[in-house]
């Protein structure tokens, strides 16, 4: 089965496409940008209807985002928090990072599994750039699973995809390193992006 792409959106333009290489080199968003303090992502409390783990994957997604197996265990200390909550007031650029298990804006279609809006940053007085918002949307045209159930073979692990998207939220672009969380594509039942690789960890340490 053809792999599906993760998409990063800078305002409304696609930042990176599928690449294939084994070169070891992380890629940061341009311009280089960081949060002033660890953001708290609001994870959509509706969950995904295709996830059969009891709550649509919302708790397992929240836990994966804030886990030490992901970005918080990359050697830069705590870089992200997450909690479940309502996304009824989902709005780009409002300073509240949200993970929406739907796509109310209609930007993620075709081979896009999920998308992150990364264009919300300002220039600090010292010339560096501060992220003040980043929001994610999900393509519900695909079948999703969580680690709380058996993957059927045509489903995508929500935790793995969303840990990848959080990498964009934190300031990372797609890497050419095939085993990294920030590689541009994944396949059905591939849970490996849920756990960051050395390339991802080097990127986070470089930023934070």
């Amino acid at each position: 089965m053809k792999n599906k792409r993760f998409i990063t959106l800078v305002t409304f333009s696609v930042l990176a496409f599928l690449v294939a290489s084994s070169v070891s080199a992380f890629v940061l968003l341009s311009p280089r940008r960081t949060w002033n303090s660890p953001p708290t992502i609001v994870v959509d409390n509706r969950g995904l209807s295709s996830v059969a783990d009891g709550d649509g994957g919302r708790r397992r997604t929240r836990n994966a985002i804030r886990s030490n197996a992901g970005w918080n265990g990359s050697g830069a200390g705590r870089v992200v928090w997450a909690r479940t909550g309502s996304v009824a007031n989902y709005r780009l650029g409002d300073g509240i990072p949200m993970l929406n298990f739907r796509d109310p804006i209609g930007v993620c279609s075709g081979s896009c599994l999920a998308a992150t809006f990364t264009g919300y940053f300002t220039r600090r007085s010292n010339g560096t750039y501060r992220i003040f918002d980043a929001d994610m949307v999900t393509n519900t045209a695909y079948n999703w699973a969580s680690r709380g159930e058996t993957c059927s073979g045509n489903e995508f692990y929500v935790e793995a995809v969303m840990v990848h998207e959080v990498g964009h939220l934190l300031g990372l672009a797609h890497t050419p390193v095939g085993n990294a969380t920030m590689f541009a594509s994944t396949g059905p039942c591939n849970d490996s992006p849920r756990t960051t690789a050395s390339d991802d960890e080097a990127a986070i340490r470089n930023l934070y």
Side-chain angles (χ1 to χ4, degrees):
M1 174 177 266
K2 183 179 178 183
N3 285 355
K4 302 302 178 185
R5 293 183 303 176
F6 302 105
I7 299 295
T8 302
L9 298 172
V10 179
T11 22
F12 292 103
S13 62
V14 174
L15 173 69
F17 293 96
L18 175 66
V19 290
S21 173
S22 60
V23 176
S24 178
F26 60 81
V27 182
L28 305 180
L29 293 177
S30 181
R32 178 189 176 97
R33 63 196 81 157
T34 57
W35 293 84
N36 279 351
S37 59
T40 298
I41 301 167
V42 179
V43 177
D44 190 344
N45 60 13
R46 296 172 297 178
L48 283 157
S49 60
S50 61
V51 176
D53 67 354
D55 71 354
R58 64 183 185 232
R59 283 178 296 177
R60 287 183 172 86
T61 300
R62 176 203 63 197
N63 293 345
I65 290 170
R66 62 190 190 187
S67 168
N68 285 339
W71 302 111
N72 289 326
S74 295
R78 178 161 295 281
V79 293
V80 66
W81 296 93
R83 65 175 180 84
T84 56
S86 172
V87 297
N89 295 322
Y90 185 86
R91 186 165 60 88
L92 300 179
D94 64 358
I96 306 170
M98 291 185 174
L99 190 172
N100 196 320
F101 283 134
R102 311 293 187 270
D103 183 9
I105 302 163
V107 297
C108 191
S109 61
S111 62
C112 169
L113 289 169
T116 302
F117 290 86
T118 60
Y120 298 96
F121 58 94
T122 60
R123 190 180 180 96
R124 298 183 180 102
S125 59
N126 65 1
T128 63
Y129 291 89
R130 175 183 69 87
I131 304 169
F132 66 88
D133 194 22
D135 297 290
M136 296 167 273
V137 295
T138 311
N139 189 345
T140 57
Y142 290 102
N143 292 319
W144 295 89
S146 81
R147 296 184 77 235
E149 60 186 304
T150 302
C151 186
S152 69
N154 69 345
E155 297 170 317
F156 292 87
Y157 276 117
V158 63
E159 301 100 322
V161 171
M162 295 313 170
V163 168
H164 170 98
E165 294 302 323
V166 170
H168 293 312
L169 175 144
L170 291 171
L172 304 185
H174 288 142
T175 179
V177 179
N179 69 340
T181 294
M182 294 313 298
F183 189 61
S185 69
T186 190
C189 298
N190 178 16
D191 188 39
S192 63
R194 180 180 57 86
T195 303
T196 53
S198 58
D199 184 74
D200 307 302
E201 292 160 7
I204 283 297
R205 289 194 300 271
N206 183 284
L207 275 177
Y208 294 94

